């Protein structure tokens, strides 16, 4: 199972598009959405239907339900992707502060040596942001900033989000054709 967490940074569309891609690939998913992300969704997704987004996943877990089974190291999942990842969530993970299910599951991923991919969406970055990213990277987490490329000549936002989603799938070693790969002209 791949656990997807959507937190309260701009770019919630990345999380939704990743869920759609994984559903198309018949991959089992679990989903958590932070309270802040639910607010951001209202601003960034014109036709935001929370139940519809939740239905893209096989399992839904409340982000503040600390006694949920997903918070245990004995819960079976292969990977976790936090997309987008707010600096608040990134800081909690880097400092071992498991204040909710999202940061707790990320903590489990690191301590159990499972895949953890964070897609931070913030700019510019402060020193503390960079230090927190480095700390997580040193523990085996993958930092994959939402920095779209342009060599594939994106035509619209879907092309740009597809690039980031495709890169997430790549680091999870899931074959995909979400974007045109670089070829020397």
């Amino acid at each position: 199972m791949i656990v997807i967490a959507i937190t309260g940074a701009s770019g919630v569309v990345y999380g939704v598009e990743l869920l759609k891609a994984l559903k198309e690939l018949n991959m089992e998913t679990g989903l958590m959405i932070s309270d802040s992300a639910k607010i951001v969704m209202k601003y960034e997704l014109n036709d935001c239907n929370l139940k519809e987004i939740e239905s893209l996943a096989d399992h839904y877990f409340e982000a503040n339900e600390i006694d949920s089974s997903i918070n245990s190291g004995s819960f079976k999942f292969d990977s976790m992707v936090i997309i987008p990842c707010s600096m608040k969530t990134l800081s909690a993970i880097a400092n071992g502060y498991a204040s909710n299910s999202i940061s707790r599951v990320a903590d489990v991923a690191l301590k159990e040596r499972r895949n953890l991919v964070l897609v931070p969406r913030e700019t510019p970055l402060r020193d503390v942001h960079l230090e927190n990213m480095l700390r997580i990277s040193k523990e085996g987490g993958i930092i994959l900033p939402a920095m779209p490329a342009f060599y594939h000549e994106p035509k619209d936002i879907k092309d740009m989000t597809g690039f980031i989603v495709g890169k997430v799938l790549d680091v999870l070693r899931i074959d995909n054709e979400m974007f045109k790969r670089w070829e020397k002209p």
Side-chain angles (χ1 to χ4, degrees):
M1 176 190 317
I2 299 171
V3 177
I4 308 299
I6 300 175
T7 66
S10 181
V12 292
V13 66
Y14 290 117
V16 173
E17 291 300 316
L18 178 59
L19 282 166
K20 289 177 182 177
L22 290 168
K23 188 171 189 76
E24 254 184 54
L25 293 166
N26 295 314
M27 304 292 294
E28 183 182 11
T29 56
L31 173 64
M32 289 183 280
I33 304 172
S34 74
D35 290 340
S36 297
K38 291 173 185 175
I39 293 168
V40 174
M41 285 177 171
K42 291 178 187 175
Y43 292 98
E44 292 189 353
L45 303 176
N46 293 336
D47 55 352
C48 179
N49 180 330
L50 199 54
K51 288 295 177 198
E52 198 173 294
I53 293 168
E54 290 172 10
S55 74
L56 293 171
D58 298 296
H59 312 278
Y60 182 76
F61 305 94
E62 290 295 337
N64 292 315
E65 192 174 12
I66 205 69
D67 61 345
S68 177
S69 60
I70 197 170
N71 293 297
S72 172
S74 66
F75 185 87
K76 295 290 187 185
F77 68 93
D78 299 308
S79 304
M80 179 182 199
V81 180
I82 304 177
I83 179 170
C85 183
S86 68
M87 290 301 117
K88 175 183 175 183
T89 301
L90 192 136
S91 177
I93 296 164
N95 292 287
Y97 182 64
S99 62
N100 63 24
S101 292
I102 294 172
S103 54
R104 171 60 187 160
V105 175
D107 192 59
V108 167
L110 289 174
K111 77 182 186 74
E112 301 281 336
R113 304 293 190 248
R114 299 177 192 173
N115 296 323
L116 175 64
V117 180
L118 306 182
V119 181
R121 237 302 302 130
E122 182 67 64
T123 191
L125 298 168
R126 294 177 43 212
D127 288 352
V128 72
H129 298 152
L130 296 167
E131 290 165 359
N132 285 337
M133 288 181 206
L134 180 60
R135 190 176 216 171
I136 292 167
S137 179
K138 284 181 176 181
E139 288 192 64
I142 296 173
I143 307 299
L144 196 154
M147 300 169 141
F150 296 93
Y151 61 78
H152 65 293
E153 299 177 347
K155 305 290 184 250
D156 53 26
I157 289 177
K158 188 154 180 74
D159 287 348
M160 294 174 77
T161 58
F163 177 82
I164 298 300
V165 169
K167 296 299 279 184
V168 169
L169 295 174
D170 282 354
V171 299
L172 294 175
R173 295 177 178 85
I174 298 172
D175 289 333
N176 71 90
E177 295 180 20
M178 296 292 299
F179 63 97
K180 181 182 171 202
R181 298 182 183 279
W182 170 253
E183 292 179 10
K184 187 176 178 181

